[in-house]
Each structure stands twice: as structure tokens, then as C-alpha cells.
């Protein structure tokens, strides 16, 4: 007797479940906008953390980062050469010219939203502006590949191609941070599969209608190599170059990719 191999797919949700995830994602989007508006010279990243937590809790949601494996913040606040997982601190005070990446997550009615973006504090140099733009464009290229029938690494390959397209447009190279990437998401914040930010296409589980992934490229102005600080959380570039991080939670639908972490205008 012959048995067929079961097709592997990226975990998927029903339309109603996607709506529930979008509600959680809207809370995250509102928190990110509030943090950006509060990010002024002289403000600490701990103050930004309190802004995000207030928005999340006022919406009836719970910060998904707070207490996660012992993490002490409701956001990850990563300034300049810090790539991801920066811990909010009263001693970490913003100054004009800083480049800051804010990652935020919320749980609403048991569903997770997860999103990040990078922006400048006051006026920033052109190289930092372009770095953030390149990272956003890489994310958007990955989002565009969230189509039924594509494979997981088609998204990875699209992100990588988005980076290379930005490099050609900007006339410079960017470091694609090694070892970090996106992930499945739903009733848990981090789920299988892991989504690399580069790689060959056509491999891994298939995307189907309702499949959800957090797409999150991280680029630097220099190296792709990182190290973790003594706090056992903060990831920094080994050469001190600046980094950027953009992320959206995205679903595959019959009508094209659906961003579940939309931000208010």
C-alpha cells in the first residue's frame, strides 16, 4: 500500500482569526506611532517603553514582550549600533541624530501582533535615512511575495533581492544581519517556521491562504556580524556600524498580502 507524503504548509488562520490578529496588530501600530511621536532629544527609552505600555493596556491588550523569557520592557528599543532586543532604560537618553529601532508586540484576545520600525531622532544624516529606507524596501519586497503557492524561501529570496535593489539605487552595500529573521505568529509570538532574510528560492513549506508570518529584515551600514551584550539581550554590530529593523505581521489572502499590523496615519 502506498502512502502520499503530507504537504507541508506555513500554518494558516481562518478569515475571522486573521481579523482578530489584525485587531491585535492595530494596537501595536498605535503604540509604535505614539512612541515615535514621543521620541525627542532628552527622552529616555524607558519613558518610550511606558508610552507603549499605556497604549497597549488602554486598548485592553497585554504587552507580549514584557516578561518574555525575563525581558523587562514592553518594547525593544535599539539605538544606533544596537540591532534588536535593546532593553529600555532610564540611562538611555536620546540625542539629536540617533537612529532608533522600536519593536513592539501585543496580545489581544489571545492573538499576537508584532511590528517594528526605524526612525531618526531629530535631523539624521543621509546614510542613516537611506539605511532605514533600504530596510523598509526589503520588508516590502518580502511582503509582496506572500502569495498562495509560493514557498517559504521565496519570501526570503524576495527580501534579499529587495536589499540588493536598494543597494543599486543607493550606490552602496548593506550588511544583511546574520542569524536573525522573521517567524510564524498567531496564538504565540514566535512560532515555526523561521524566516531567513536571504537565501535561494523554492524551498520550505508552502504558503496557503491564511498563512501568517512576521517579516523583519535587519540591515547595517557595515558588517553582517553581531554579538550579544552582557545583558544577554541586546544585539549589536561587531564593527559599531548603525543598524535598522523593520517588521510587519502579514497574512496570505486570495486578494494578495494583508498587513495585520497597520499603523494609524
Amino acid at each position: 500500500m502506498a502512502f502520499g507524503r503530507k504537504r507541508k504548509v506555513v500554518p494558516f488562520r481562518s478569515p475571522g482569526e486573521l481579523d482578530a490578529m489584525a485587531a491585535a496588530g492595530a494596537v501595536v501600530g498605535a503604540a509604535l506611532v505614539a512612541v515615535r511621536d514621543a521620541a525627542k532629544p532628552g527622552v529616555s527609552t524607558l519613558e518610550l517603553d511606558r508610552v507603549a505600555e499605556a497604549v497597549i493596556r488602554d486598548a485592553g491588550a497585554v504587552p507580549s514582550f514584557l516578561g518574555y523569557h525575563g525581558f523587562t520592557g514592553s518594547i525593544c528599543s535599539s539605538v544606533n549600533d544596537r540591532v534588536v532586543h535593546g532593553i529600555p532604560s532610564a540611562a538611555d537618553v536620546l540625542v539629536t541624530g540617533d537612529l532608533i529601532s522600536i519593536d513592539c508586540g501585543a496580545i489581544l484576545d489571545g492573538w499576537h501582533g508584532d511590528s517594528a520600525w526605524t526612525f531618526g531622532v531629530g535631523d539624521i544624516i543621509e546614510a542613516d535615512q537611506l539605511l532605514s529606507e533600504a530596510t523598509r524596501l526589503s520588508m516590502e519586497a518580502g511582503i509582496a511575495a506572500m502569495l498562495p503557492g509560493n514557498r517559504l524561501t521565496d519570501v526570503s529570496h524576495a527580501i534579499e533581492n529587495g536589499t540588493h535593489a536598494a543597494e543599486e539605487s543607493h550606490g552602496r552595500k548593506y550588511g544583511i544581519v546574520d542569524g536573525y529573521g522573521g517567524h510564524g505568529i498567531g496564538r504565540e509570538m514566535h512560532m515555526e517556521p523561521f524566516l531567513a532574510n536571504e537565501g535561494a528560492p523554492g524551498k520550505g513549506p508552502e504558503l496557503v491562504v491564511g498563512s501568517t508570518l512576521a517579516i523583519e529584515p535587519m540591515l547595517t551600514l557595515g558588517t553582517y556580524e553581531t554579538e550579544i551584550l552582557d545583558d544577554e539581550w541586546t544585539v549589536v554590530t561587531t564593527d559599531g556600524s548603525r543598524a535598522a529593523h523593520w517588521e510587519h505581521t502579514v497574512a496570505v489572502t486570495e486578494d494578495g498580502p494583508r498587513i495585520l499590523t497597520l499603523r494609524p496615519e
Side-chain angles (χ1 to χ4, degrees):
M1 183 181 292
F3 293 90
R5 295 180 65 183
K6 187 175 181 179
R7 182 178 58 148
K8 289 186 177 181
V9 300
V10 175
F12 56 92
R13 322 291 168 202
S14 69
E17 289 171 335
L18 293 183
D19 288 344
M21 289 184 67
V27 174
V28 173
L32 285 172
V33 169
V35 168
R36 182 196 59 187
D37 292 345
K40 310 292 184 185
V43 174
S44 74
T45 56
L46 183 61
E47 291 174 275
L48 298 183
D49 186 77
R50 290 169 177 162
V51 167
E53 182 173 3
V55 171
I56 292 168
R57 294 197 185 279
D58 286 349
V62 177
S64 51
F65 293 4
L66 186 61
Y68 183 77
H69 295 295
F71 192 76
T72 57
S74 296
I75 58 171
C76 296
S77 52
S78 305
V79 183
N80 297 333
D81 66 333
R82 285 169 258 177
V83 184
V84 286
H85 304 162
I87 302 173
S89 168
D92 193 15
V93 178
L94 300 176
V95 299
T96 298
D98 278 341
L99 187 69
I100 183 169
S101 299
I102 301 294
D103 193 355
C104 183
I107 311 166
L108 182 65
D109 296 329
W111 294 99
H112 285 257
D114 189 8
S115 185
W117 64 356
T118 297
F119 53 85
V121 178
D123 294 328
I124 60 173
I125 62 173
E126 183 182 31
D128 288 352
Q129 292 175 334
L130 293 176
L131 171 65
S132 180
E133 178 183 280
T135 312
R136 175 182 58 80
L137 292 172
S138 299
M139 177 191 68
E140 290 176 352
I143 291 172
M146 289 285 286
L147 300 172
N150 270 355
R151 305 293 285 271
L152 179 71
T153 67
D154 290 327
V155 182
S156 301
H157 191 63
I159 295 169
E160 180 182 0
N161 282 345
T163 300
H164 295 324
E167 289 175 329
E168 184 173 351
S169 175
H170 296 169
R172 63 155 300 130
K173 297 288 288 183
Y174 294 109
I176 300 175
V177 173
D178 188 38
Y180 295 88
H183 51 88
I185 184 170
R187 290 260 184 206
E188 300 174 39
M189 179 166 58
H190 291 130
M191 303 176 66
E192 294 294 333
F194 171 76
L195 174 66
N197 286 323
E198 57 186 333
K203 300 178 182 179
E206 183 180 345
L207 298 173
V208 297
V209 171
S211 289
T212 54
L213 291 171
I215 298 174
E216 50 178 322
M218 293 150 245
L219 301 180
T220 80
L221 288 174
T223 184
Y224 61 87
E225 296 179 327
T226 60
E227 59 186 0
I228 299 175
L229 298 185
D230 290 342
D231 62 22
E232 299 183 348
W233 279 103
T234 308
V235 179
V236 300
T237 57
T238 56
D239 63 357
S241 61
R242 292 194 169 189
H245 174 208
W246 281 74
E247 176 185 18
H248 267 310
T249 300
V250 184
V252 175
T253 79
E254 293 176 344
D255 299 320
R258 178 184 179 185
I259 297 173
L260 302 176
T261 42
L262 293 174
R263 298 163 189 151
E265 293 296 331

